[in-house]
Amino acid sequence: MSSLLPDSVPLLSTADNSVTALPSGIPTLLLFSSSWCPDCKPFMAALSVMYEDLNEDEKQFEVVYVSSDRTEEECADYVKKMPGWLYVPFSQVEHCTFLKMTLKSCAGSEQGPLGITERKFGIPNLVVLKGNDVVVKECANADVEGFRGGDLPTDWA
């Protein structure tokens, strides 16, 4: 399999839209989500709390947003609400498609157009990676929804 997040695909910071390198040595969480999805907003809020709590003293994980937004404007407005995460630029539609097809995680409305016959996960979905290509956990949503403070989930390492 190709690297899920190769260096050739720029990642932008939601804080200032600058190209930002993926930190090494910590888990990377791919967030499949969109601005129009009603379940995604409360999930993003819960993930934001977890992100800020666990990364307060030292960065323990990074989040990379993979958009299912319908337009570049929707994506741009949505990333402004994220707490300094990274995201795959909307213009990198080929790479977003690659991630969705490889991990079988997408919005229901994308399943047919992407040719995904067996979708494993809808949106929101959080995939935990070790490095930029080893899937550690296909769906970490319950970890986020059940977070009440404390430590990084042990199965994320």
Side-chain angles (χ1 to χ4, degrees):
M1 169 177 29
S2 299
S3 175
L4 294 173
L5 294 171
D7 292 338
S8 61
V9 175
L11 298 177
L12 303 181
S13 168
T14 62
D16 60 9
N17 290 318
S18 63
V19 175
T20 305
L22 192 63
S24 61
I26 60 173
T28 299
L29 282 57
L30 297 179
L31 173 61
F32 293 85
S33 183
S34 75
S35 61
W36 52 263
C37 164
D39 293 334
C40 293
K41 291 178 178 86
F43 184 79
M44 186 178 82
L47 181 57
S48 295
V49 168
M50 184 180 200
Y51 182 85
E52 291 173 355
D53 184 54
L54 291 177
N55 288 329
E56 184 176 10
D57 296 326
E58 177 184 358
K59 180 132 333 192
Q60 295 189 47
F61 68 92
E62 187 56 84
V63 175
V64 176
Y65 173 59
V66 180
S67 175
S68 285
D69 292 304
R70 296 179 181 125
T71 67
E72 192 164 4
E73 293 76 28
E74 282 180 354
C75 181
D77 288 342
Y78 198 46
V79 299
K80 289 177 188 173
K81 299 171 181 156
M82 298 175 185
W85 298 341
L86 303 179
Y87 70 102
V88 178
F90 190 84
S91 62
Q92 294 286 324
V93 66
E94 300 86 12
H95 195 70
C96 286
T97 298
F98 165 75
L99 289 170
K100 292 170 188 177
M101 292 179 73
T102 301
L103 299 170
K104 299 187 183 323
S105 183
C106 65
S109 60
E110 296 175 303
Q111 187 175 350
L114 292 176
I116 297 174
T117 55
E118 293 185 34
R119 181 176 70 146
K120 286 186 180 180
F121 304 101
I123 60 173
N125 187 42
L126 193 65
V127 177
V128 181
L129 302 178
K130 179 179 181 180
N132 63 358
D133 59 358
V134 178
V135 176
V136 174
K137 194 166 192 177
E138 290 185 312
C139 183
N141 292 21
D143 296 332
V144 173
E145 292 162 345
F147 181 73
R148 302 291 179 264
D151 297 323
L152 189 71
T154 56
D155 60 351
W156 287 15

